[in-house]
Amino acid sequence: MNLHNYLMERKNMAEAALDKLLPSVLDTPVRLHEAIRYSVLSPGKRLRPILVMAGAEAVGGYPEDVLPASCALECIHAFSLIHDDLPCMDDDDYRRGRLTNHKVYGEAMAMLAGDALLALAFELIASNIDRFPADRVVEVSRLLAHASGNRGMVGGQVVDIESEGRDISPDEIRYIHAHKTGALLTASVLSGAVLCGGDELQINRLRSYGESIGLAFQIADDILDIIGDQEKIGKPVGSDVKQNKATFPKLYGLEESKKLAEEEMRKAISNLDIFGESAEPLRQIARYIVERDL
Ligand code: GRG
């Protein structure tokens, strides 16, 4: 399997589906729909949609069948990025190499575009009722709500904000990363696998895989904020240090952080030992997550 080709192919599938499933700029309210499409369709890695498809494939499903769910995950992700960039949060001007949503559309519209994207995500999940059994669709709704809300991404963001400017413990930073970033990545893998009928053992193993790649991904993100190439990552480097954010390099140093990310990658891959060739994309994605340069 060639990972580069796999990622490109799945990314193209996700982007074509997003283009089709997102509201048209010809529909009212036009400005809201422009703001939504501006952020969602801006150049991103599409890691969460790709993980939905790879999770489906691991349990014998087809990537085409989980495209609406893949789009739902990217909508939730885009919502979190738009809100994360707002003046009341990180107050960032650039994201994915472009001006942030509020810089182009204003603060109120950016907030509303984010809200609408979260709602749209659940509409997309509910639309799965035409192709998958109802109990699987309900379970995916539950796990996405859990991963996005107070016990997931929002909870992680709150602890992150509360930690700014003070020393934090290893447990606290793990909590922040697991919730702010890991929860949605784990939910991505699980959404595909649950919809395509993964059994209990497979789902448990994929949950552990997701938790490990989630942590590895965020450690790699912390490292890239120090040694990354601004052109490639599409936003200024050094913003974590400037905002006195809780990061792995701050707590453990750069070299130890790299080792910890690699350890999580190995843990992730070892959780896939019950799967055969069908989980090869997930194995290679785990490696890519720590080796990436954007
Ligand atoms: C305000 C109600 C409310 C909810 C939002 C803002 C927020 C809660 C959560 C923040 C979540 C967040 C922005 C986490 C950071 C995750 C992260 C590393 C994002 C970058 O992901 P990539 O690298 O980006 O996959 P691309 O652009 O490639 O998609």
Side-chain angles (χ1 to χ4, degrees):
M1 193 202 117
N2 178 306
L3 181 68
H4 178 76
N5 292 348
Y6 178 87
L7 294 177
M8 282 309 291
E9 199 182 294
R10 296 290 177 267
K11 182 175 186 284
N12 290 341
M13 285 170 73
E15 287 177 348
L18 282 166
D19 189 36
K20 199 172 105 200
L21 294 172
L22 287 174
S24 160
V25 290
L26 301 174
D27 289 347
T28 307
V30 168
R31 193 90 179 132
L32 173 67
H33 295 158
E34 283 173 358
I36 286 174
R37 295 183 74 93
Y38 174 82
S39 282
V40 181
L41 298 177
S42 61
K45 294 184 286 298
R46 313 300 177 203
L47 181 59
R48 292 146 194 88
I50 292 169
L51 284 170
V52 175
M53 292 186 250
E57 289 173 271
V59 302
Y62 298 102
E64 297 79 9
D65 292 342
V66 293
L67 280 171
S70 297
C71 292
L73 263 299
E74 189 67 11
C75 287
I76 298 177
H77 174 53
F79 135 76
S80 79
L81 299 181
I82 294 171
H83 281 198
D84 192 48
D85 292 334
L86 284 170
C88 63
M89 300 240 186
D90 282 359
D91 194 11
D92 278 322
D93 293 351
Y94 289 94
R95 169 75 67 180
R96 293 175 163 176
R98 293 184 180 180
L99 283 172
T100 45
N101 198 292
H102 67 272
K103 282 278 159 193
V104 178
Y105 295 96
E107 217 175 310
M109 190 62 80
M111 208 187 77
L112 292 166
D115 293 342
L117 278 167
L118 182 61
L120 178 60
F122 285 93
E123 193 178 339
L124 287 169
I125 293 300
S127 76
N128 278 306
I129 206 74
D130 296 338
R131 36 183 110 65
F132 293 110
D135 59 334
R136 296 185 197 169
V137 176
V138 171
E139 173 55 12
V140 171
S141 311
R142 190 201 63 76
L143 69 88
L144 284 192
H146 188 89
S148 311
N150 56 302
R151 292 204 180 82
M153 197 168 61
V154 174
Q157 177 79 349
V158 168
V159 179
D160 192 17
I161 290 171
E162 287 176 344
S163 78
E164 273 171 43
R166 66 174 176 87
D167 288 336
I168 62 160
S169 67
D171 281 351
E172 278 176 303
I173 195 161
R174 280 170 189 271
Y175 178 95
I176 293 168
H177 285 7
H179 290 78
K180 197 175 118 170
T181 311
L184 204 59
L185 291 172
T186 305
S188 304
V189 186
L190 291 183
S191 297
V194 167
L195 285 174
C196 293
D199 64 30
E200 201 181 328
L201 176 64
Q202 290 175 323
I203 297 299
N204 286 338
R205 290 300 197 92
L206 291 176
R207 186 177 302 105
S208 301
Y209 166 89
E211 287 165 0
S212 284
I213 59 156
L215 186 53
F217 180 89
Q218 188 56 54
I219 301 174
D221 210 69
D222 290 352
I223 294 171
L224 282 173
D225 192 69
I226 298 173
I227 59 165
D229 177 341
Q230 190 158 312
E231 287 291 309
K232 277 194 177 140
I233 58 181
K235 57 176 189 177
V237 292
S239 59
D240 291 341
V241 176
K242 212 159 84 193
Q243 293 177 53
N244 210 356
K245 285 240 176 193
T247 67
F248 262 67
K250 188 177 166 192
L251 205 62
Y252 293 97
L254 211 48
E255 286 314 308
E256 185 60 20
S257 298
K258 283 183 191 166
K259 277 191 205 142
L260 289 167
E262 277 161 20
E263 207 174 286
E264 289 302 324
M265 169 189 75
R266 279 192 290 276
K267 239 159 74 184
I269 293 171
S270 73
N271 270 297
L272 302 175
D273 61 1
I274 61 159
F275 298 90
E277 193 58 23
S278 67
E280 194 49 27
L282 289 178
R283 290 187 191 95
Q284 295 204 24
I285 289 169
R287 289 189 197 101
Y288 157 78
I289 275 173
V290 292
E291 285 159 13
R292 72 202 165 97
D293 58 5
L294 79 162

